[in-house]
Amino acid sequence: MRTTVAALVGAALLTGATACSGETPAAPAVKPVAETEVAGPAASGDQPKGITYDVKRIPLGAKLSTGSSVAGGRTTVELKVSGLQPDTKYGSHVHTKPCGAKPADSGPHYQNEKDPVAPSVDPKYANAQNEIWLDFTTDAQGAATATATVNWEFRKGEANAVIIHATHSSTEHGKAGTAGDRLACLTAQF
């Protein structure tokens, strides 16, 4: 779904937000894409929308939701989580394929400019401006919200899941974009 400039201005007026000359207006509110409680992966056949691959770090029944908005060629993606381990750092990225029984089934990170080398660990491609990074730290109740805004739009049909990883994303050359094991997956077609 796309948000028009008129809707953005109307939302700014309703909330009392202002945009001065030279300032970038706030991103429009995200529209829900997917929300679920996580389950374990199915042995075969249809997969649940939300899957945990590590029940200690992402317990069964934890809640994951994501949404996005597009305005003026910019994309904003939001991830909300609850029921995770309290006061814990996690990494999170948009991936190319839907969730599957195995953590790797969701494919690589979605990249605006695709790295010709896979897996992508070159900071020229694996960075928060070329990918959607939604790293977060949970609060004392195991909840968090992460938001990322980039200056591009998803290619239709190429962004299909949000993966939660074991650590925040690395920016180090040769490890850029890595964030440890894939702990959970939320199928979400952006």
Side-chain angles (χ1 to χ4, degrees):
M1 299 181 87
R2 302 205 187 277
T3 304
T4 64
V5 174
L8 181 60
V9 171
L13 293 173
L14 287 174
T15 62
T18 59
C20 300
S21 177
E23 290 184 14
T24 303
V30 296
K31 307 291 186 225
V33 174
E35 181 175 2
T36 194
E37 289 186 5
V38 297
S44 63
D46 290 338
Q47 292 298 318
K49 187 182 287 186
I51 300 171
T52 181
Y53 303 112
D54 184 335
V55 295
K56 290 181 182 177
R57 298 282 310 269
I58 312 280
L60 295 174
K63 294 181 182 172
L64 310 176
S65 67
T66 190
S68 68
S69 65
V70 176
R74 296 176 52 159
T75 301
T76 297
V77 177
E78 179 180 79
L79 173 66
K80 291 183 180 184
V81 301
S82 63
L84 279 62
Q85 291 184 338
D87 304 312
T88 303
K89 293 180 181 181
Y90 294 90
S92 185
H93 310 104
V94 172
H95 282 245
T96 59
K97 297 180 182 178
C99 305
K102 299 175 189 168
D105 289 346
S106 59
H109 296 179
Y110 178 92
Q111 294 183 322
N112 183 50
E113 182 182 349
K114 294 180 183 180
D115 188 340
V117 176
S120 180
V121 291
D122 181 344
K124 176 181 176 184
Y125 299 96
N127 62 67
Q129 293 77 43
N130 193 46
E131 300 180 348
I132 299 289
W133 289 12
L134 297 158
D135 293 355
F136 60 90
T137 302
T138 55
D139 63 16
Q141 289 74 46
T145 299
T147 304
T149 300
V150 292
N151 292 319
W152 43 265
E153 298 179 26
F154 288 118
R155 292 177 297 276
K156 186 171 177 67
E158 293 187 33
N160 292 291
V162 175
I163 293 288
I164 298 176
H165 293 271
T167 65
H168 279 181
S169 303
S170 175
T171 57
E172 182 181 337
H173 189 74
K175 295 181 181 180
T178 61
D181 291 340
R182 297 179 188 201
L183 304 178
C185 182
L186 175 62
T187 296
Q189 295 175 334
F190 293 97

